[in-house]
Structure formats: structure tokens, C-alpha cells
Amino acid sequence: MEKLIIQGGNRLEGRVRVSSAKNAVLPIIAGTLLASTPSKLLEIPNLEDVGTICQVIESLGVKITRNKEDNEIIFDASTLTATEAPYELVRKMRASFLVMGPLLARKGEAKISMPGGCAIGARPIDLHLKAFEALGAKIDITEEYVHAYAPEGLKGTQIYLDFPSVGATENVIMAASMAQGKTVIENAAEEPEIVDLATFLNAMGANIRGAGTNVIRIEGVPELHGATHTVIPDRIEAGTYLIAAAMAGGDVFVENALPEHLKPVVAKLKEAGVTVEEDIDGIRVISTGKDIKAVDIKTLPYPGFPTDMQAQFMALTTIAEGSSTVTETVFENRFMHVAELRKMGAHIDIDNRQAIVEGMPRLHGAVVNATDLRAGAALVCAALTAEGTTEIGRLHHIDRGYDDFVGKLKRLGADIVRVDE
């Protein structure tokens, strides 16, 4: 078992480049299943989740060629044969369920095991299945598998999502891109990752309009071809470095960060008294690590405050002056990091989906564990400012979503090492 050992107190300075977005690259890789000719994806981050989705794609018969030096991957789905994704891979990661839409569109059938790989909430797949049924698919569900089939093809229709689910929106866009006729998705998710997927699919020959708004219109086409695409920067990775610099103190320029994707995070950092400067090619944060002001945050679907930044921002409020309130509205089990932050001296009380954080001057080092991906990032941010040494275990969670996390922080001046116990 590996762990991180972090000695707190070092000021962070320099430039750090954000990798491509995990939450964009996974659906786009699933989308390569739709093409009858090869697709090339550029600047692919070295993440555990990317490895898992690639294994899922390969298990379906897709030929994958990797250029590790240039972080490029070519996906040749002309060899797509299977329609059943193996249980042992899908259970590792929820995003594996995103292959159902493309398989239904391309092959008229998909059999996927119930998705796993997420500890932060139920994330039910019923929105996906209701939408597939509206498109004309028949659904059979057992305790272990979901079997969807549409032998006569999918038919365009009007779909209203009860909640603007990112995964359901992505799955439906991919399924509808090759359905007969026109599909309209209302109450669609508006995240930048949705826009990036639509941009990729349109480059493949799809006809998708309205991505980034809550109404998306798709005119189905009979066939899609491969395309070359560079995935957007990871706004959550960018936000994590902004928080790290704000907590540890320093002067850090986050390259490749898109300010328009981070408006609520930047606004709350400024409200907390942190200096944030937006530039055409990134975001600069300047902080003493002290005199942080208490702020209240409430997670909401995009363009609201992102749930994937809640844990990191809560870490910031633990050293703020005064009382902060953190309200989680998206996932019902996303306060697991609270117990770990308490080990470091944080004063946090939980009432249902609301956390009250009483700020204090300093945290102290402790032995803690990453309970999920963003919780792990929050603990790293906290450790960078804590007095003494912090040990963070269960690093596989962090590896799912941060490319070269340790190396990037080291180059900014952090005292952080990864060791094998």
C-alpha cells in the first residue's frame, strides 16, 4: 500500500499546467464506439479511470493504439464486435455505463453490469434507462445486469430529464446521435464536459445543437466517422490547485485553466479574501495563507458551485476566520472527508446535508485516508498548510482523477513524497 507523506508549511510558487478533464475524456472515449473509422484523442491524462475505460472499450473489440510520449490514443471501433461489457471492469467505475448509449446506437444492443466505483452516493441509472426506453429500446434488468436492445433501431423523441444528470445527458446524446429522426433533451445538464462531447461528436458527423444549454436538439444520422480531438482542460484539477495555493500561501499561475469554467469557485475565493487574477491562458492566485474569511457555499448543477470542488473548499474554510456553512445538494453521501479533516483538528458539525465549519488558525498533521477522489484532494490541500507531518493513505482514489499530482505539487515547492509502506 502506498501513501503520501506531506510536511506542511511550505509556500507554493511557480506555474502548474492543468491536464485534460477526466470528466470529459471518459464519455468521449465511450463516444469513439460510434465511429466506423479510427478516432485520435490528444493530450490524454495518465489516470486510473482512463485506463479502466480503455480496458472496457478493448473488451468490446476496439483496437487501441497508444502513443505515451505524446499522450495520444487512437481508437479503431471498426473492429467493434461485442455488446456486453465485463462485470469485473464496469464494477470499478461508474463511467463504464456510458458505453450503453453508443452500443445501442451502433449495434442495437447492450448488456452492462450494474455500475460501481463510487462511494459518494447512489447515483441511480434510472434516468438513463427511462431515456433509452423513450428512444424505443426494450430494457431487461436483473440484480447484476442491465440488458437493452432495439433490433429495429432507436427512434428520435422528446425526453425530459427529471434531474439534469451529466451522465444521463451524455448517454442520451450518444444514443440519439444515430437514432432515426429528431431528439430533444429538456432539462439537460449544461456542464462544459457536455459541450466537449458534443463538439467531438459533431466533428464525427453528428448533428447536435444546444449543448451547454438546458435544451439539446439532435438530428440522427445513419453513420459517424472518426475524428481528431483535444479534450478541454480539467476545471476541477485547476480549482484544486487554486485552493492549495490559497491555503498554503503562495503565488501560483495555473496554466490552461479556463476562467469561464470556474466562475463560482473564483467568486468564492475572492469572497474569502484571496487574490485571484484571470488571464487568457490561465488563472493566478496570490495568498498569504492567513486572514482567510469565512464563506458559505452550496453545491448545484452547472453553472452553480461544483460538487466536485466541495471537499477542497471545505478544507479552505477550516482555516478561515469565523463560521462557514457548506451545503451539499447533489450527492447524499459527500461529507466522508469530514471525519478525516477532524483528525487534523478541524471543527466541523454535520446536520443532514449541511456542514458548519468553525475556522481555526492552523490544522495539525495526522494519519488520514482518502475516502473518495475529491476527499483525497481536500486532504492534500489541508496537509500543505498543517503543522507537522500528514500521512494520506488509499491513494487509488486520488490516482483516478489527478495526473502527476505529486510531481506538480513538488515543482511548486511542496514537501510531498509518495512511499510504499
Side-chain angles (χ1 to χ4, degrees):
M1 296 289 289
E2 290 185 302
K3 63 183 178 181
L4 295 180
I5 299 178
I6 302 172
Q7 186 71 37
N10 280 21
R11 179 178 167 85
L12 301 184
E13 291 188 345
R15 301 172 74 92
V16 59
R17 183 172 176 81
V18 173
S19 300
S20 295
K22 174 186 91 79
N23 290 338
V25 73
L26 300 181
I28 285 172
I29 288 175
T32 64
L33 289 170
L34 292 163
S36 56
T37 57
S39 295
K40 180 191 285 188
L41 301 183
L42 311 177
E43 298 184 22
I44 300 301
N46 182 25
L47 303 175
E48 199 170 285
D49 277 8
V50 170
T52 301
I53 195 75
C54 284
Q55 285 181 287
V56 173
I57 296 293
E58 284 183 303
S59 74
L60 298 171
V62 176
K63 183 180 177 182
I64 295 179
T65 306
R66 295 173 175 84
N67 181 345
K68 291 186 178 180
E69 284 188 12
D70 295 326
N71 296 325
E72 297 175 0
I73 307 181
I74 297 173
F75 299 87
D76 184 358
S78 65
T79 55
L80 177 65
T81 52
T83 56
E84 180 176 338
Y87 165 79
E88 63 273 12
L89 293 176
V90 176
R91 69 179 178 82
K92 287 185 183 180
M93 185 181 68
R94 280 198 61 83
S96 305
F97 199 74
L98 289 172
V99 302
M100 178 162 273
L103 286 176
L104 266 176
R106 181 101 183 270
K107 291 292 189 180
E109 183 178 18
K111 187 177 181 183
I112 315 291
S113 68
M114 287 295 187
C118 187
I120 59 174
R123 290 185 170 191
I125 57 171
D126 59 315
L127 294 179
H128 302 241
L129 302 183
K130 282 170 64 178
F132 291 147
E133 285 182 319
L135 289 166
K138 305 295 183 186
I139 309 287
D140 293 331
I141 303 176
T142 67
E143 288 185 4
E144 294 184 349
Y145 281 92
V146 177
H147 184 201
Y149 50 97
E152 297 180 8
L154 300 174
K155 307 266 192 314
T157 188
Q158 193 101 1
I159 294 171
Y160 179 86
L161 297 177
D162 294 333
F163 178 82
S165 159
V166 174
T169 301
E170 291 167 341
N171 232 340
V172 176
I173 286 174
M174 290 187 282
S177 64
M178 293 178 66
Q180 299 171 37
K182 184 178 183 178
T183 299
V184 178
I185 309 172
E186 295 183 288
N187 199 32
E190 301 176 35
E191 273 74 359
E193 294 79 12
I194 301 287
V195 179
D196 205 35
L197 174 63
T199 300
F200 174 61
L201 295 177
N202 283 339
M204 295 167 66
N207 185 354
I208 303 165
R209 290 171 294 143
T213 75
N214 63 358
V215 179
I216 300 175
R217 293 174 170 82
I218 305 149
E219 193 73 48
V221 296
E223 187 176 29
L224 294 173
H225 54 76
T228 298
H229 183 72
T230 301
V231 180
I232 58 171
D234 195 317
R235 61 194 170 102
I236 307 304
E237 183 191 4
T240 301
Y241 291 122
L242 297 179
I243 297 288
M247 292 187 70
D251 185 345
V252 173
F253 188 83
V254 184
E255 296 178 13
N256 206 30
L258 298 177
E260 59 267 32
H261 290 175
L262 284 160
K263 286 182 179 180
V265 175
V266 168
K268 286 296 177 181
L269 278 171
K270 289 179 177 178
E271 188 181 328
V274 178
T275 299
V276 184
E277 299 174 355
E278 300 174 28
D279 204 341
I280 192 168
D281 58 348
I283 303 173
R284 181 185 184 189
V285 60
I286 304 170
S287 172
T288 62
K290 300 174 183 177
D291 303 321
I292 305 292
K293 299 173 186 173
V295 292
D296 298 336
I297 64 167
K298 181 179 182 180
T299 64
L300 291 166
Y302 191 88
F305 193 95
T307 181
D308 279 354
M309 282 301 303
Q310 178 256 103
Q312 300 92 308
F313 215 94
M314 184 187 288
L316 176 69
T317 64
T318 65
I319 60 168
E321 297 176 355
S323 177
S324 303
T325 301
V326 178
T327 306
E328 174 60 55
T329 72
V330 180
F331 294 123
E332 72 277 7
N333 193 27
R334 202 155 202 180
F335 283 154
M336 292 189 294
H337 47 280
V338 168
E340 304 304 303
L341 288 171
R342 284 174 178 159
K343 294 176 185 176
M344 302 178 72
H347 290 175
I348 308 171
D349 291 319
I350 299 176
D351 181 12
N352 197 11
R353 289 196 177 194
Q354 193 170 80
I356 309 298
V357 186
E358 295 293 340
M360 51 192 307
R362 294 286 283 200
L363 300 173
H364 58 73
V367 177
V368 294
N369 284 306
T371 52
D372 61 71
L373 169 56
R374 306 308 174 185
L379 293 174
V380 171
C381 291
L384 292 172
T385 191
E387 288 182 347
T389 304
T390 301
E391 296 183 12
I392 303 175
R394 296 177 68 182
L395 301 187
H396 64 279
H397 287 299
I398 297 174
D399 293 339
R400 287 184 49 225
Y402 289 90
D403 187 359
D404 191 26
F405 202 24
V406 172
K408 290 179 179 180
L409 287 171
K410 266 187 174 180
R411 289 189 285 275
L412 292 175
D415 186 345
I416 177 172
V417 293
R418 183 168 180 147
V419 298
D420 202 337
E421 291 182 283

